[in-house]
Amino acid sequence: MHGPFLFWGFKSSHEMLENRLGALERDVLAVVWERGEISVRDACAQLGSGVAYTTVMTTMDRLFKKRLLARRKVGRAFVYRAAATRDELEGAVASELMQSLLQGHRGEPLPLLSSLVDAVSERDRALLDELERLVREKRRAVDREKGR
């Protein structure tokens, strides 16, 4: 008997996020997540002498335009902070991936959901219990929304 068919090109939400951002963008985000709020000058110091101030400034502006960073003016400079945590960002990527998989299945999510349950149960029984808990929690939230 053959093993399961694998999509070798399939990426996790973490890998998808990594591929969407350049190396310096990822490094800047890591510094911002670590420090909370940071100026371009401080980010340069954290990144080391190999990166020019203007390059870091441009990268942070690009991340702001991608809505991954928020900023506020302090004096003549901007201070940046992350628009979302690392987990929130990876969760958003995973959610978008799931939405695209569900939409691409002609409105028939059962094979996808069945595959998800199979993958989770093969990995860890506790994950299957957690999935069940999340489903119950989501049902309660949906019922509360309907009751409004």
Side-chain angles (χ1 to χ4, degrees):
M1 181 174 197
H2 296 285
F5 177 76
L6 298 176
F7 290 100
W8 296 109
F10 188 78
K11 304 269 190 258
S12 70
S13 60
H14 176 76
E15 290 170 311
M16 290 173 67
L17 183 58
E18 292 285 313
N19 292 337
R20 289 288 189 186
L21 299 174
L24 184 56
E25 288 177 320
R26 291 191 306 271
D27 291 346
V28 166
L29 268 177
V31 166
V32 173
W33 280 323
E34 179 184 314
R35 297 284 304 268
E37 195 171 64
I38 194 167
S39 68
V40 174
R41 187 167 311 286
D42 290 341
C44 276
Q46 289 290 309
L47 292 167
S49 62
V51 186
Y53 177 89
T54 54
T55 302
V56 174
M57 182 174 65
T58 300
T59 301
M60 292 178 91
D61 184 61
R62 190 173 346 172
L63 289 168
F64 170 75
K65 289 176 180 169
K66 290 180 178 182
R67 299 169 58 186
L68 295 174
L69 293 181
R71 67 184 180 195
R72 65 183 176 91
K73 195 104 170 180
V74 175
R76 295 182 345 170
F78 286 112
V79 176
Y80 291 86
R81 63 178 168 72
T85 66
R86 184 185 313 259
D87 287 343
E88 289 170 337
L89 195 53
E90 287 182 11
V93 171
S95 179
E96 187 175 314
L97 173 63
M98 289 303 295
Q99 288 296 328
S100 69
L101 288 172
L102 287 170
Q103 289 172 355
H105 216 292
R106 295 182 302 277
E108 298 175 16
L110 287 180
L112 174 66
L113 295 177
S114 174
S115 296
L116 174 64
V117 170
D118 287 345
V120 167
S121 61
E122 284 177 16
R123 182 155 179 243
D124 187 347
R125 168 83 181 167
L127 281 177
L128 192 58
D129 293 339
E130 177 64 8
L131 180 59
E132 187 175 20
R133 184 193 68 75
L134 289 170
V135 168
R136 282 193 311 269
E137 187 177 294
K138 190 61 168 181
R139 280 190 176 142
R140 284 192 298 270
V142 167
D143 287 347
R144 281 192 303 270
E145 286 291 319
K146 286 181 181 176
R148 283 187 179 173

